[in-house]
Amino acid sequence: MSEDAPASEGERTVAFLLSLRARGVRDLALLRAMERVPRDRFAPARFADLARQDVSVPLPCGQTMTAPHTVANLLVALDMQPGARVLEVGTGSGYVSALLAAMGGEVVSLERYRSLALAAHERVSDSGFGGAVDLRHADGFQPDRTLGRFDRILVNGVTQAVPEALLARLSPGGRLVGALRVEGAARRVVVTHLDDGQFDHATGPVLRLPPLIPGRSRAL
C-alpha cells in the first residue's frame, strides 16, 4: 500500500487504541470493547472524521460525545464485571451504552432528550448490542423505582451533588461513578455502597465533562 493510500478501518482502529494506550489506558476488557464498538458509527455523519481522535464530538440538543480518554477514565473507575446490572444516566449518542454492553453489562440507559434517545436506540441496535441495552427517554436523576437496584451506576456528566435517588438505586457493594463540581473544577467521584449501608465518596482527577440537567425534556 502506498503512503498516500487511505488507512483501512482496521488500521484506524489500531491507531485509535494505541493512542489510548499511550495516554495510560491499560484495561484490556475496555480496550477490547472499544475495538468492538467503532466510535465513528455513533458520531453524527459530519463529525465522523473526528470520532477516532481523542476529542469530544458535538451532538444535537447541545450535547456532546465525551472524549474517549475521559470515557476510559470513568469506565475503569466503574470496575465493570460481566453480568452486572448497570444504570447509565445520560445516553447521548449511545456509544458508552454499547461499550458497557460489550463489557458484559445488562444496561438500562436514561436520556432526557427524546430525539437523542431514539437515535441512540437505533445506533445501539445496529451495533449488535441492542439486546443488552434497555434505552429509555426519562429523567436520569429520578429513575423509576420499578427498575430495582443496580450493581453499577454511571453518570455521564457533572452534578453539584450525587442525587439521593441514584444512591437509593445502588445495590450494597455497588459502585457509582460520575463527576462533581468541586471548587470550580469537575472531578471524578466514585461512590461505594458499603456493607453497613453507608456510602464512601472518593474524589479523583479533574475531567472534562458537560453538566447534567435534571428532568425529562419535552423538546425533540
Side-chain angles (χ1 to χ4, degrees):
M1 185 176 67
S2 70
E3 292 183 1
D4 295 331
S8 67
E9 180 171 351
E11 289 170 329
R12 292 195 301 272
T13 297
V14 169
F16 173 66
L17 296 176
L18 287 175
S19 72
L20 291 174
R21 288 182 64 90
R23 295 204 60 181
V25 180
R26 295 287 188 267
D27 188 283
L28 291 180
L30 174 58
L31 290 169
R32 290 192 192 103
M34 287 182 155
E35 182 179 11
R36 295 175 64 192
V37 183
R39 188 171 182 249
D40 53 302
R41 298 184 186 178
F42 289 80
R46 60 181 173 150
F47 298 117
D49 60 326
L50 298 176
R52 293 179 194 260
Q53 300 180 36
D54 193 19
V55 296
S56 59
V57 175
L59 294 174
C61 306
Q63 305 304 295
T64 59
M65 287 181 74
T66 301
H69 181 255
T70 301
V71 170
N73 190 303
L74 294 170
L75 292 185
V76 169
L78 196 64
D79 187 30
M80 273 294 299
Q81 301 296 322
R85 290 196 76 224
V86 186
L87 176 65
E88 180 190 22
V89 178
T91 309
S93 69
Y95 174 63
V96 177
S97 311
L99 288 178
L100 291 167
M103 296 175 75
E106 299 174 8
V107 185
V108 176
S109 187
L110 308 180
E111 171 55 55
R112 74 184 303 265
Y113 292 102
R114 184 183 299 276
S115 60
L116 286 183
L118 292 173
H121 181 273
E122 182 175 347
R123 292 185 182 113
V124 171
S125 296
D126 289 346
S127 74
F129 294 103
V133 180
D134 178 2
L135 205 158
R136 305 185 180 199
H137 173 224
D139 178 5
F141 283 55
Q142 295 291 335
D144 193 326
R145 292 184 180 182
T146 62
L147 293 174
R149 289 191 171 188
F150 295 86
D151 306 303
R152 298 289 186 270
I153 298 178
L154 178 65
V155 183
N156 287 317
V158 184
T159 59
Q160 296 298 324
V162 179
E164 291 293 333
L166 291 182
L167 295 179
R169 302 270 65 80
L170 190 61
S171 296
R175 178 176 295 197
L176 177 151
V177 175
L180 294 178
R181 185 69 59 186
V182 180
E183 297 180 350
R187 290 190 174 274
R188 190 189 69 197
V189 62
V190 177
V191 182
T192 305
H193 191 173
L194 304 176
D195 292 338
D196 62 3
Q198 300 298 308
F199 294 94
D200 175 70
H201 292 63
T203 55
V206 173
L207 300 177
R208 295 190 66 178
L209 284 168
L212 278 186
I213 304 171
R216 182 175 61 175
S217 174
R218 296 183 181 180
L220 294 178

